[in-house]
Amino acid sequence: MLALLHWLGILLRTRLPPDAAALSVQGDDVTRRLLGVAATIATTLVVAGCDSSPAAPASTPTPTTAVIAGPTAIDPCLVATWKSTGISGTITIGGAKVAITGGVGEVLTIGAGGTIKTDETNTTPVKGSAADGTQYTLLQTGTATGKIASSAEKISVTLDQPTTLTVALLKNGVQVQSQHPGSASDSYTCSAGTSLTITGGGGTVSRYSPG
């Protein structure tokens, strides 16, 4: 969910077929963990380029956990190789609630310098069914590298571009959306050497064990 992870890019609506507006995936749970990002890198650059006024000084949150000092602050508990044991929760697709499961096998490697690598080679599909019987599948494939930072039990990830990491949405076996993730922000809890849990804004939960 992005992995992010499940974490990973908002699917471009411009790539949808004409009748696919109703299939637009909504909710922070998906846009942050599975389909992606609060904003793509490109969008961030465009917005910054259009604003010529001086930026206001950013407030610095006080971390609740220890961090490794450096260009990218990182909770040392996160520094490890993690393997996903699954994702659970409910997402909204076309106005319908869909309970999802799957997403086992994603490998996240987080370095002390704030680097992250995600490998979806063996990640199982995320699947769910709507009340009308429509079957939805989220496929995560490829690999990606990037930067990760943490503060106050929040993580932010920015993936290097271009990337082969791809997230695709299928309806009844037919692909209707696809995108390369860019960045994401999520909450997390971590027990050193034991477990990592990443929670999306909409409540989806991705769990990892040492990999």
Side-chain angles (χ1 to χ4, degrees), residues 32 152-155 185-189 196-201:
R32 289 176 178 168
E153 297 187 338
K154 301 282 188 181
I155 56 173
S185 298
D186 289 298
S187 301
Y188 77 94
T189 57
L196 170 63
T197 301
I198 298 175
T199 303

Side-chain angles (χ1 to χ4, degrees), residues 2 8-10 18 31 43 50 54 63 68 70 79 104-105 110 120 135 144 155 158 164 175 183 200 204:
L2 225 233
L8 323 198
I10 294 174
T31 58
T43 301
C50 292
I68 296 175
V79 178
V104 177
I110 300 174
E120 308 293 340
Q135 303 292 313
I155 56 173
T158 301
T164 62
Q175 181 174 310
S183 61
T204 54

Side-chain angles (χ1 to χ4, degrees), residues 23 33 35 48 60 69 80 92 96 106-107 170 186 206:
L23 298 177
R33 165 54 177 85
L35 303 180
T60 303
T92 301
E106 176 190 45
V107 177
L170 284 68
D186 289 298
S206 302

Side-chain angles (χ1 to χ4, degrees), residues 56-142:
S59 59
T60 303
T62 302
T64 58
T65 57
V67 297
I68 296 175
T72 304
I74 188 75
D75 180 352
C77 183
L78 295 170
V79 178
T81 296
W82 302 96
K83 188 172 184 178
S84 64
T85 58
I87 183 173
S88 61
T90 301
I91 62 177
T92 301
I93 305 180
K97 297 292 186 180
V98 180
I100 56 173
T101 58
V104 177
E106 176 190 45
V107 177
L108 299 178
T109 303
I110 300 174
T115 60
I116 185 170
K117 178 181 179 181
T118 177
D119 187 342
E120 308 293 340
T121 302
N122 297 310
T123 305
T124 62
V126 175
K127 296 183 177 182
S129 300
D132 64 359
T134 302
Q135 303 292 313
Y136 293 99
T137 303
L138 292 165
L139 298 178
Q140 303 171 94
T141 58

